[in-house]
């Protein structure tokens, strides 16, 4: 049932628990019809303030049809399109930010025109500096290939230390600049890449401070401490597991962690469910 307020919502308790509280034995799926249209564009902007304006603009004008809002900082966009021969460069280098936008709808006769009008208005109003709209599925795949090239870091940005964090959407731009300064103050030769799902506050970070072996623990302390100072989360998507247990306190208070331990003890008194993870 979509609405069921009969006490505690126990299923929500299991989200993020990584198997430490129970075993899933049944899943109920809600299905939706496949979208009839998909429209994709890549935008270039001056800075992160422009990204926030664009996010507001497309949310107001595309509504529920907005299905992707993927941001790439220039350090990511330029490194990947320059370093991987199979990638195209849909928009030129030199801009302050790049955003991949996708809209899915149900009206083949009007969705594409509406999508282009929305982005055209953003261009006319100076919200974006440049925009290219995919005219075919091949174009769309070329745009997505740039964003998805993070899986090929080993070819152009290796070794490095990677992070999956959340920062309040309105603060992401200032957080990124602050973190860059902090890292460079400690390691002058720091190289970084930033990209992520800005619409839901998620930022992926790659940090490389030297050639060869990275001082991973030191880098983690610097980054996660900064995340805490900006009221963020040390794990947006990938979970805590064992690798992030030492940093959980940067996102959770002692009272919250104590409550988590109580729940773990109540639901798994023998400690047999995914032992050693999270807590």
């Amino acid at each position: 049932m979509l609405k069921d307020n009969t006490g505690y919502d126990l299923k929500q308790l299991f989200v993020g628990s990584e198997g430490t509280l129970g075993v899933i034995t049944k899943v109920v799926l809600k299905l939706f019809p496949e979208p009839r249209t998909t429209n994709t564009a890549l935008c270039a902007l001056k800075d992160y303030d422009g990204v926030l304006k664009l996010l507001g603009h497309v949310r107001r004008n595309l509504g529920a049809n907005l299905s992707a809002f993927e941001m790439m900082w220039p350090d990511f966009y330029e490194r990947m399109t320059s370093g991987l021969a199979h990638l195209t460069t849909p928009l030129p280098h030199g801009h302050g930010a790049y955003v991949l936008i996708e809209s899915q709808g149900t009206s083949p006769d009007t969705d594409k025109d509406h999508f282009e009008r929305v982005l055209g208005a953003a261009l006319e109003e100076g919200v974006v500096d440049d925009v290219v709209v995919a005219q075919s599925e091949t174009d769309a795949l070329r745009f997505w290939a740039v964003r998805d090239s993070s899986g090929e870091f080993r070819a152009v940005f290796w070794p490095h230390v990677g992070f999956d964090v959340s920062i309040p959407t309105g603060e992401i731009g200032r957080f990124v600049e602050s973190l860059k300064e902090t890292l460079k103050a400690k390691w002058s030769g720091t190289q970084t890449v930033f990209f992520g799902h800005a619409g839901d506050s998620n930022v992926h970070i790659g940090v490389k401070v030297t050639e060869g072996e990275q001082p991973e623990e030191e880098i983690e302390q610097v980054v996660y401490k900064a995340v805490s100072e900006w009221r963020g989360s040390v794990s947006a998507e990938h979970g805590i597991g064992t690798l992030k247990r030492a940093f959980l306190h940067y996102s959770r208070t002692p009272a919250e962690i104590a409550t988590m331990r109580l729940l773990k003890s109540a639901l798994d008194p023998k400690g047999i469910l995914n032992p050693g993870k999270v807590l």
Side-chain angles (χ1 to χ4, degrees):
M1 293 173 289
L2 288 178
K3 291 185 177 180
D4 180 12
N5 287 297
T6 50
Y8 300 150
D9 185 358
L10 297 179
K11 71 178 183 299
Q12 193 67 23
L13 183 63
F14 284 75
V15 176
S17 66
E18 302 179 38
T20 60
L21 300 181
V23 177
I24 295 171
T25 60
K26 183 171 72 172
V27 176
V28 178
L29 301 178
K30 180 179 181 180
L31 304 180
F32 292 86
E34 184 177 5
R36 298 176 65 192
T37 65
T38 299
N39 291 287
T40 310
L42 185 66
C43 302
L45 304 96
K46 290 184 178 65
D47 51 30
Y48 188 76
D49 286 342
V51 173
L52 290 177
K53 291 177 183 177
L54 178 61
L55 179 59
H57 176 76
V58 294
R59 278 178 168 169
R60 286 191 300 273
N61 292 284
L62 295 176
N65 285 359
L66 180 64
S67 54
F69 191 91
E70 298 289 314
M71 184 184 169
M72 296 167 280
W73 274 259
D75 53 16
F76 174 89
Y77 182 83
E78 294 174 9
R79 181 180 295 274
M80 305 314 287
T81 54
S82 298
L84 295 172
H86 66 86
L87 294 183
T88 59
T89 307
L91 288 172
H93 296 172
H95 294 281
Y98 298 85
V99 174
L100 178 64
I101 296 175
E102 184 180 82
S103 177
Q104 295 183 322
T106 58
S107 302
D109 294 335
T110 61
D111 283 348
K112 188 173 190 297
D113 288 342
H114 179 62
F115 184 73
E116 292 181 349
R117 283 197 302 272
V118 169
L119 293 178
L123 188 62
E124 291 175 6
E125 295 168 10
V127 176
V128 300
D129 289 343
D130 200 359
V131 59
V132 56
V133 177
Q135 299 302 313
S136 65
E137 184 178 355
T138 299
D139 286 346
L141 290 174
R142 286 193 298 111
F143 297 174
W144 274 106
V146 178
R147 167 58 184 86
D148 291 339
S149 65
S150 57
E152 301 176 77
F153 276 157
R154 184 172 287 275
V156 296
F157 191 61
W158 200 262
H160 74 279
V161 183
F163 298 89
D164 158 53
V165 303
S166 279
I167 300 293
T169 298
E171 304 291 343
I172 290 176
R174 293 196 298 133
F175 163 77
V176 168
E177 294 308 313
S178 174
L179 179 58
K180 284 181 180 180
E181 292 177 4
T182 300
L183 288 167
K184 283 190 175 293
K186 188 171 181 62
W187 298 284
S188 60
T190 298
Q191 300 175 48
T192 56
V193 289
F194 291 86
F195 61 102
H197 326 289
D200 60 7
S201 77
N202 188 187
V203 185
H204 297 287
I205 305 169
V207 179
K208 181 178 182 179
V209 302
T210 61
E211 293 300 326
E213 188 173 347
Q214 303 294 297
E216 184 169 346
E217 291 185 7
E218 290 183 73
I219 297 172
E220 288 175 335
Q221 289 291 347
V222 170
V223 173
Y224 288 137
K225 184 174 184 294
V227 168
S228 177
E229 291 169 350
W230 286 83
R231 299 176 294 111
S233 167
V234 299
S235 183
E237 296 177 319
H238 298 163
I240 297 298
T242 58
L243 298 181
K244 296 182 183 178
R245 284 187 311 189
F247 307 109
L248 185 59
H249 69 281
Y250 282 128
S251 293
R252 296 291 190 177
T253 66
E256 288 175 316
I257 293 174
T259 302
M260 291 165 67
R261 291 189 184 282
L262 283 172
L263 291 169
K264 169 68 171 173
S265 177
L267 293 174
D268 182 22
K270 295 184 179 181
I272 61 175
L273 297 172
N274 206 11
K277 307 301 190 299
V278 185
L279 297 169

